Amino acid sequence: MDTVEPVGLQRGERASSCPQKGMPRPSDSLERVQECLQQFKVTRTRLQKIRASLLCSMEQALKGQDSPAPSVRMLPTYVGSTPHGTEQGDFLVLEMGATGASLRVLWVTLTGTKEHNVAPKSQEFVIPQEVILGAGQQLFDFAARCLSEFLDAHPVENQDLKLGFNFSFPCHQTGLDRSTLISWTKGFRCSGVEGQDVVQLLRDAIQRQGTYSIDVVAMVNDTVGTMMGCELGTRPCEVGLIVDTGTNACYMEEARHVKALDEDRGRSCVSIEWGSFYDEEALGPVLTTFDRALDHESLVPGAQRFEKMIGGLYLGELVRLVLVHLAQHGVLFSGCTTPSLLRQGSILLEHVAQMEDPATGTAHVHAVLQGLGLNPQSSDAELVQHVCAAVCTRAAQLCAAALAAVLSRLQHSREQQTLHVAVATGGRVFEHHPRFHYTLKEMIMLLVPECDVSFIPSVDGGGRGVAMVTAVAARLAAHRRILEETLAPFQLNLEQLTVVQAQMREAMIKGLRGEASSLRMLPTYVRATPDGTERGDFLALDLGGTNFRVLLVCVAEGSVQITNQVYSIPEWVAQGSGQQLFDHIVDCIVDFQQRHGLSGQSLPLGFTFSFPCKQLGLDQGILLNWTKGFNASGCEGQDVVHLLREAIRRRQAMELNVVAIVNDTVGTMMSCGYDDLRCEMGLIVGTGTNACYMEELRNVASVPGNSGHMCINMEWGAFGDDGSLGMLSTCFDASVDQASINPGKQRFEKMISGMYLGEIVRHILLHLTSLGVLFRGQKTQCLQTRDIFKTKFLSEIESDSLALRQVRAILEDLGLTLTSDDALMVLEVCQAVSRRAAQLCGAGVAAVVEKIRENRGLQELTVSVGVDGTLYKLHPHFSRLVSATVQRLAPHCTVTFLQSEDGSGKGAALVTAVACRLAQMARV
């Protein structure tokens, strides 16, 4: 290391001032030096108190609390993402104020790979004194000319140039490209700039220059540049730490914790501005007489107290004050001082680093002290090194306590047992002082053992780091455009939804008339909803999968009590003969009756049979085809109620009165209708989707009669099979449809129901990955797997209660390696797909309730809809979106949505109860 010459003697100065008295022995001198330096020792307990105090101040500032006023500012930098290694392109960087009265222009090329790095081109321009003290426009015009001159000397092909602006003066940033100068420092006094947006001033100057098209993308401070300029390693670099002339740190905070941002999702880099940190209780005991003297002599006494104990601008001065004190007390330099030693600023950071050097420190001590006009003895060199070590060790320990506060904050906000993070370091203290880095690292391990931290030197934070911020911003903007273009077809406006509503209304009318329509509009032969007078005990059967339920439903005044038993249907029964299947069902009914003391009773029975049927009467249903793994022979094309009655007849010891075969959608309506007499529509949104409602009998062409009502099973999952939804179908819908077991069928259902939404999301994610927008463009095997992305993941990912960390965990469990940006985009994809599903569902409901209103010639209709299905019930926003869409499309209908309880069980019993009531009334 070359010796930095200290400030030497000035003409006319006395060489030294030495008291005429006996000097202490070397051993006494060491003891007195150690006694003096005891002030600089900081216990681990004290460091933990400082850590806790700074953490408390950070959290106060994040929450926007101003009483008591936090001593750190926690300024949003509007940098929302760290590099992920694929950033590439050419970027301009303008540095102003980082190196005093000059500015620097850089041309930084990012290649997107570690293997091929291109050295940046740079040029420094000295700012004339008359510009520094002149009008603001003059300064920014000078900067624009420097940019043009640089680009003239380095011809570029790219006409659309992206620029990052490093403006090293106190600013209030309100956006990535918006920053207002608070006050000039470092000798700059340009008029008309304070209180102005400096980014806009630079843009205006570039426009006046008119030579090049330059887009100022980002305003970046040097601490953020340090974090962003860090080489990518095995762990994310989410903390930047500078110890230079001054000191500061930044880190990636959860945006929802930064009150100033008013954001719910994602992360944002926060500049702590910790140089101003001070807490008398925590930091006061650490202040020495030398710190107080340094502060008193500073330009702004009482300000930046923490920085004055750590920053490189002050370490040399602290060492000087200690040396003066020891010399004046006869401990060093034979009690001699010199005017140079007594002059403020005569010992610099570089001197301290040289004197501490383990190999050449002694020689440097002599050179530095002699340069100050001193004649050190051999024993002085070792004592001076003790002083340098004490001052710098304390600085590193205090810096470690502050960094420990940041790491604790990160660990808490991420809710991680062990935080794995990289810290980018920059500044001359790190560059020139190896002991500082070693002490910092050692102390971090002691203060926050639960954090696994690696320290990575930043590569030119002011140049490459600023370029990286600009590159990340450009990448995010490009990815945002692609994401918005991809999701645009899922954003349905009012006009599109109105068209869907009208098309469904038209298809309903055609279906009711028996004309060609994608809606079958099947009569269910349920002619009334409950009126509250239903009474009695009823049996219900629920067959819809590998489990089969038998229920006893007791309907009394104001209450419905249900007792049920679940029975399994073995595979050999489900795929055997029809006789075996229905005999097994009857065996289960007999067992249930015996368990509950019902043997010998002939109770009315409702049969929920959740397989495709053509209903010919309330108690007649022809099975069209088996689904869900059933394949019992001799059943398709047969009346399943008749098959059940035949099985009952074979068990001669029992009698059952099978009153109704019930569709689960109708059961849902009837289940809610008992509690709300205005419930005249049923809606299922689960694995599949369907709806039913009470239609005027006169409008049902397939059933004779002109008075009364008939519940119509719409089978609306098939809506659009005639191509009417083509204008809303995306390429992702087409992919899902083509891969399904029934291409071209159930088109409405495939845009709404739980069986398909996850698949739509998966296809969108594959598309975005292929464009490099997601997962760094790396295709993973899990995304290639059909049905890997379950619809339940949409509900979990969109939950308001989940932090971004939990969203990432859900996706990582699928084997996806992702960043926070990826998690946010996946969230947006899920939101777009589920929002469209809910809006389409709402358009369907609006068509139905409007038809009911117009059927009855009402100006206003009040009606309730009974709803069941896991998607509707479990998705955090689906129900709200459905309701909001209905409100917009059917403003003359007041619609209440009721969640059904056991539509297939309780609903089947209530269909039976209503049928019994109507039959009794007919007899009377």
Side-chain angles (χ1 to χ4, degrees):
M1 183 186 296
D2 295 331
T3 302
V4 176
E5 292 297 329
V7 179
L9 294 174
Q10 304 298 310
R11 183 180 298 175
E13 290 180 349
R14 283 191 300 117
S16 65
S17 171
C18 304
Q20 303 298 313
K21 60 182 179 180
M23 303 307 298
R25 292 173 300 174
S27 60
D28 292 338
S29 295
L30 177 60
E31 286 180 13
R32 292 177 66 181
V33 168
Q34 289 174 335
E35 183 181 345
C36 173
L37 296 180
Q38 194 67 30
Q39 299 176 68
F40 288 90
K41 292 191 179 298
V42 189
T43 65
R44 197 189 308 177
T45 302
R46 175 58 53 189
L47 291 171
Q48 289 288 20
K49 286 183 179 178
I50 293 168
R51 178 193 67 83
S53 175
L54 176 57
L55 180 58
C56 179
S57 192
M58 287 169 61
E59 291 174 346
Q60 271 184 280
L62 285 172
K63 294 172 183 175
Q65 295 176 358
D66 51 12
S67 181
S71 59
V72 293
R73 298 182 67 187
M74 303 301 284
L75 301 176
T77 67
Y78 299 89
V79 172
S81 178
T82 53
H84 65 30
T86 63
E87 289 77 14
Q88 53 186 310
D90 297 315
F91 301 92
L92 268 175
V93 174
L94 175 64
E95 268 188 352
M96 187 183 290
T99 52
S102 66
L103 61 80
R104 187 167 68 131
V105 179
L106 299 95
W107 180 265
V108 181
T109 299
L110 302 175
T111 61
T113 63
K114 291 182 180 179
E115 293 75 21
H116 182 57
N117 287 325
V118 178
K121 303 169 187 175
S122 69
Q123 187 174 346
E124 195 160 327
F125 298 85
V126 177
I127 306 174
Q129 191 66 16
E130 63 270 19
V131 173
I132 289 175
L133 301 175
Q137 182 171 322
Q138 193 178 0
L139 172 66
F140 286 95
D141 282 345
F142 176 79
R145 286 197 302 274
C146 292
L147 286 169
S148 292
E149 185 179 325
F150 175 85
L151 291 170
D152 289 342
H154 303 88
V156 295
E157 295 179 6
N158 188 359
Q159 297 302 307
D160 184 21
L161 303 170
K162 307 288 185 188
L163 181 140
F165 188 19
N166 183 1
F167 187 73
S168 298
F169 299 94
C171 286
H172 174 57
Q173 200 160 351
T174 55
L176 187 60
D177 61 348
R178 295 190 304 276
S179 193
T180 302
L181 176 65
I182 296 171
S183 59
W184 284 116
T185 57
K186 306 176 186 181
F188 282 69
R189 290 291 180 271
C190 299
S191 62
V193 181
E194 292 180 350
Q196 299 298 310
D197 180 356
V198 293
V199 175
Q200 191 57 50
L201 293 176
L202 177 59
R203 283 177 174 149
D204 292 343
I206 291 170
Q207 193 168 3
R208 284 194 296 272
Q209 185 71 21
T211 315
Y212 292 94
S213 173
I214 300 172
D215 179 15
V216 185
V217 173
M219 167 89 169
V220 187
N221 81 23
D222 51 356
T223 316
V224 178
T226 294
M227 180 183 78
M228 299 293 278
C230 173
E231 289 286 357
L232 281 178
T234 56
R235 60 189 65 185
C237 182
E238 297 188 300
V239 182
L241 169 61
I242 281 192
V243 189
D244 196 88
T245 310
T247 180
N248 192 20
C250 66
Y251 73 102
M252 297 301 292
E253 176 62 85
E254 302 294 320
R256 68 182 186 279
H257 295 150
V258 187
K259 186 179 180 184
L261 290 178
D262 195 25
E263 292 281 345
D264 292 331
R265 302 281 186 177
R267 291 176 181 166
S268 180
C269 180
V270 172
S271 177
I272 302 170
E273 302 294 325
W274 73 15
S276 61
F277 169 62
Y278 186 73
D279 172 30
E280 182 62 37
E281 186 177 336
L283 209 54
V286 181
L287 285 174
T288 66
T289 54
F290 308 108
D291 295 302
R292 299 183 192 282
L294 182 149
D295 179 56
H296 180 70
E297 295 170 3
S298 68
L299 290 173
V300 190
Q304 301 296 101
R305 298 296 293 272
F306 194 60
E307 182 169 89
K308 289 170 182 173
M309 301 167 81
I310 294 176
L313 183 64
Y314 307 100
L315 294 185
E317 183 63 8
L318 281 172
V319 167
R320 186 190 70 81
L321 290 170
V322 176
L323 296 185
V324 168
H325 170 81
L326 292 172
Q328 289 174 341
H329 285 78
V331 180
L332 286 178
F333 319 136
S334 302
C336 298
T337 60
T338 66
S340 292
L341 179 63
L342 295 173
R343 183 179 299 110
Q344 187 179 3
S346 59
I347 297 180
L348 306 175
L349 169 66
E350 288 79 358
H351 300 142
V352 177
Q354 289 171 347
M355 292 189 289
E356 267 205 90
D357 189 285
T360 59
T362 302
H364 284 308
V365 171
H366 284 283
V368 170
L369 295 178
Q370 287 167 1
L372 292 171
L374 295 163
N375 296 306
Q377 300 178 14
S378 57
S379 60
D380 288 334
E382 182 182 352
L383 297 177
V384 169
Q385 286 182 308
H386 278 300
V387 173
C388 293
V391 170
C392 293
T393 297
R394 186 193 67 164
Q397 289 175 330
L398 292 175
C399 187
L403 180 58
V406 176
L407 297 171
S408 297
R409 173 69 199 162
L410 268 176
Q411 184 189 24
H412 173 73
S413 64
R414 307 283 163 84
E415 299 179 30
Q416 294 176 352
Q417 283 191 334
T418 302
L419 176 71
H420 302 279
V421 70
V423 176
T425 59
R428 285 176 294 168
V429 173
F430 281 108
E431 292 167 8
H432 298 307
H433 209 298
R435 179 197 288 271
F436 187 96
H437 183 214
Y438 173 79
T439 305
L440 173 72
K441 188 175 179 180
E442 189 178 55
M443 191 52 61
I444 283 293
M445 293 172 66
L446 294 173
L447 293 176
V448 277
E450 64 277 12
C451 297
D452 179 16
V453 186
S454 59
F455 292 88
I456 305 174
S458 180
V459 182
D460 187 12
R464 186 177 185 276
V466 174
M468 190 60 79
V469 172
T470 311
V472 168
R475 167 174 62 80
L476 291 177
H479 287 180
R480 167 60 47 190
R481 284 193 297 273
I482 295 171
L483 180 66
E484 289 177 354
E485 288 168 6
T486 301
L487 298 182
F490 291 87
Q491 316 295 334
L492 304 183
N493 57 37
L494 183 60
E495 183 181 351
Q496 289 171 304
L497 292 169
T498 303
V499 169
V500 173
Q501 178 187 13
Q503 288 175 330
M504 180 165 281
R505 173 70 180 278
E506 184 181 352
M508 290 170 66
I509 293 171
K510 286 183 177 180
L512 288 169
R513 290 175 180 165
E515 299 172 8
S517 171
S518 59
L519 292 179
R520 298 177 67 185
M521 305 300 284
L522 303 173
T524 65
Y525 298 90
V526 171
R527 298 173 184 269
T529 54
D531 66 0
T533 65
E534 291 78 13
R535 302 286 184 272
D537 295 341
F538 305 90
L539 281 179
L541 310 182
D542 178 15
L543 179 63
T546 54
N547 288 329
F548 164 67
R549 286 193 308 156
V550 183
L551 305 93
L552 172 63
V553 181
C554 302
V555 182
E557 186 175 357
S559 71
V560 177
Q561 294 184 335
I562 301 173
T563 305
N564 77 91
Q565 185 80 35
V566 178
Y567 297 90
S568 65
I569 297 183
E571 186 178 352
W572 64 269
V573 172
Q575 298 186 2
S577 68
Q579 183 170 321
Q580 285 176 313
L581 173 62
F582 282 92
D583 283 348
H584 178 74
I585 290 171
V586 171
D587 288 343
C588 295
I589 297 170
V590 170
D591 177 76
F592 181 85
Q593 288 180 316
Q594 290 173 347
R595 286 171 181 262
H596 297 92
L598 301 174
S599 298
Q601 297 186 40
S602 178
L603 298 178
L605 182 146
F607 186 12
T608 298
F609 188 76
S610 300
F611 297 92
C613 282
K614 179 181 179 182
Q615 210 160 339
L616 303 177
L618 186 61
D619 62 350
Q620 287 179 279
I622 307 300
L623 175 64
L624 300 177
N625 58 277
W626 284 116
T627 58
K628 307 176 187 178
F630 279 70
N631 195 26
S633 61
C635 296
E636 291 181 352
Q638 301 297 311
D639 178 1
V640 292
V641 175
H642 175 72
L643 294 176
L644 178 61
R645 285 172 173 156
E646 286 295 310
I648 294 169
R649 202 168 291 120
R650 285 193 291 274
R651 286 292 295 255
Q652 297 176 357
M654 68 174 293
E655 287 187 20
L656 286 175
N657 177 19
V658 184
V659 173
I661 182 169
V662 183
N663 167 285
D664 55 353
T665 315
V666 178
T668 295
M669 180 186 75
M670 299 294 276
S671 157
C672 295
Y674 185 78
D675 301 312
D676 184 343
L677 302 185
R678 296 172 304 182
C679 184
E680 296 191 79
M681 180 176 178
L683 172 65
I684 299 273
V685 194
T687 307
T689 182
N690 193 16
C692 69
Y693 73 103
M694 298 303 293
E695 178 58 83
E696 304 299 312
L697 185 59
R698 67 178 182 272
N699 294 331
V700 186
S702 60
V703 179
N706 290 316
S707 63
H709 299 94
M710 171 67 70
C711 179
I712 297 296
N713 170 19
M714 296 176 67
E715 292 294 337
W716 83 359
F719 173 57
D721 287 0
D722 56 0
S724 56
L725 289 177
M727 76 289 189
L728 299 183
S729 183
T730 68
C731 59
F732 311 110
D733 295 303
S735 297
V736 171
D737 178 54
Q738 286 303 309
S740 69
I741 59 172
N742 54 348
K745 305 293 184 185
Q746 300 294 104
R747 299 304 294 268
F748 195 58
E749 182 168 87
K750 288 172 182 172
M751 300 171 87
I752 290 180
S753 74
M755 179 175 282
Y756 303 100
L757 297 191
E759 268 298 275
I760 296 172
V761 168
R762 185 180 71 87
H763 280 279
I764 297 173
L765 300 187
L766 279 172
H767 170 73
L768 293 173
T769 304
S770 71
L771 297 176
V773 174
L774 281 178
F775 316 130
R776 298 185 175 94
Q778 299 169 0
K779 291 187 178 179
T780 56
Q781 186 56 45
C782 71
L783 268 187
Q784 310 291 333
T785 307
R786 186 178 165 192
D787 294 327
I788 189 74
F789 203 95
K790 306 294 184 188
T791 296
K792 71 171 184 176
F793 296 149
L794 275 75
S795 299
E796 292 172 359
I797 287 170
E798 293 185 58
S799 171
D800 292 330
S801 64
L802 283 194
L804 197 61
R805 174 191 63 79
Q806 293 162 301
V807 174
R808 289 184 64 175
I810 291 168
L811 298 170
E812 284 166 352
D813 285 346
L814 291 175
L816 295 169
T817 303
L818 72 161
T819 64
S820 296
D821 298 326
D822 292 331
L824 273 174
M825 282 194 265
V826 171
L827 169 64
E828 286 193 55
V829 171
C830 292
Q831 288 173 330
V833 171
S834 58
R835 186 190 305 114
R836 183 189 68 165
Q839 289 177 322
L840 288 174
C841 185
V845 173
V848 173
V849 296
E850 273 293 295
K851 185 159 193 327
I852 295 174
R853 183 182 70 81
E854 291 180 19
N855 281 344
R856 298 176 189 177
L858 299 173
Q859 288 293 320
E860 302 287 334
L861 172 70
T862 300
V863 68
S864 297
V865 180
V867 194
D868 204 351
T870 52
L871 179 59
Y872 185 93
K873 288 184 172 180
L874 299 182
H875 191 281
H877 307 297
F878 197 94
S879 59
R880 176 181 55 80
L881 289 167
V882 170
S883 180
T885 304
V886 173
Q887 200 170 359
R888 291 176 72 195
L889 296 177
H892 298 291
C893 299
T894 302
V895 182
T896 302
F897 291 86
L898 308 170
Q899 291 197 20
S900 168
E901 295 179 15
D902 195 8
S904 54
K906 175 183 173 183
L910 286 167
V911 169
T912 307
V914 169
C916 291
R917 172 173 63 81
L918 293 177
Q920 186 176 3
M921 288 173 60
R923 285 194 296 272
V924 171

